[in-house]
Amino acid sequence: MADTNKTITVVSAHSADFVWRAGGAIALYHDLGYRVRVLCLSYGERGESARLWKDGKTLDEIKQIRRAEAQRAAEILGAEVRFLDAGDYPLEVTKDLQDALVQEFRAYRPELILTHSLTDPYNADHPRTTELVMECRILAQAHGYPSDLPVIGAPQVYLFEPHQPEQCNFQVDVLLDITSVFERKRQAMECMEAQEHLWEYYTDVAKRRGVQAGRNSGSSIQYGEAYQRIYPYVGKVFA
């Protein structure tokens, strides 16, 4: 069960997605005192572990390796990680998986949820995860859904940047300054040894988003992460 700390939840289709795309946000919120919950729906064992397959590893060995990588990365970033092993390429959305997410949202009551883009023509598991998250958020709000836990409020949902944003209809609504925690994100990325080719790619992405964040704020920002929000901001002042 959850404690009294505020929580954010990151739903990652594969075991490395949360590191590349939201590692900075995770570290920032951990430092703000939040409890950060990462849900890895799969290990990325079939579609995102090519080097391990070429090395002759078995499916079980690959799952163990990817799980250990993600666990180390989560510890560096300050997150708790839960592995749901829902299959990969394709990720299988079952009633049990759906219920696991609904009960997770009700138990930990996140202030906000981070997950994938709505569209990704290169990886069907990503929008499938987003569709699942959006539906489970709705179900977690429904008084008639079977659960021993109370309904949740209306956590904002932020979509993290996909690998090729221009092809995924990704609209940047938020640029997050992750300069203060980028070295931890880089350390977490380097835990993902099965995808070493992405270390520099996502370092470059962070630099580019940092430049854009600086131009949009007048501040000196070295590293950033981009997000798209789903629901409107509600308040008595503009933000």
Side-chain angles (χ1 to χ4, degrees), residues 204-217:
D204 290 342
V205 170
K207 289 178 180 177
R208 184 167 62 252
R209 293 309 188 187
V211 170
Q212 294 169 350
R215 289 179 63 86
N216 281 277
S217 67

Side-chain angles (χ1 to χ4, degrees), residues 103-157:
Q103 304 303 342
E104 172 82 23
F105 292 165
R106 287 195 172 190
Y108 293 93
R109 314 186 66 76
E111 295 278 309
L112 55 94
I113 300 168
L114 310 182
T115 195
H116 294 269
S117 57
L118 292 165
T119 302
D120 191 336
Y122 301 101
N123 194 317
D125 288 353
H126 292 166
R128 188 171 292 134
T129 295
T130 307
E131 182 179 351
L132 173 65
V133 168
M134 299 289 288
E135 183 172 7
C136 289
R137 179 187 180 275
I138 295 168
L139 297 177
Q141 294 174 311
H143 287 271
Y145 187 90
S147 177
D148 295 329
L149 299 163
V151 298
I152 65 170
Q156 181 59 260
V157 177

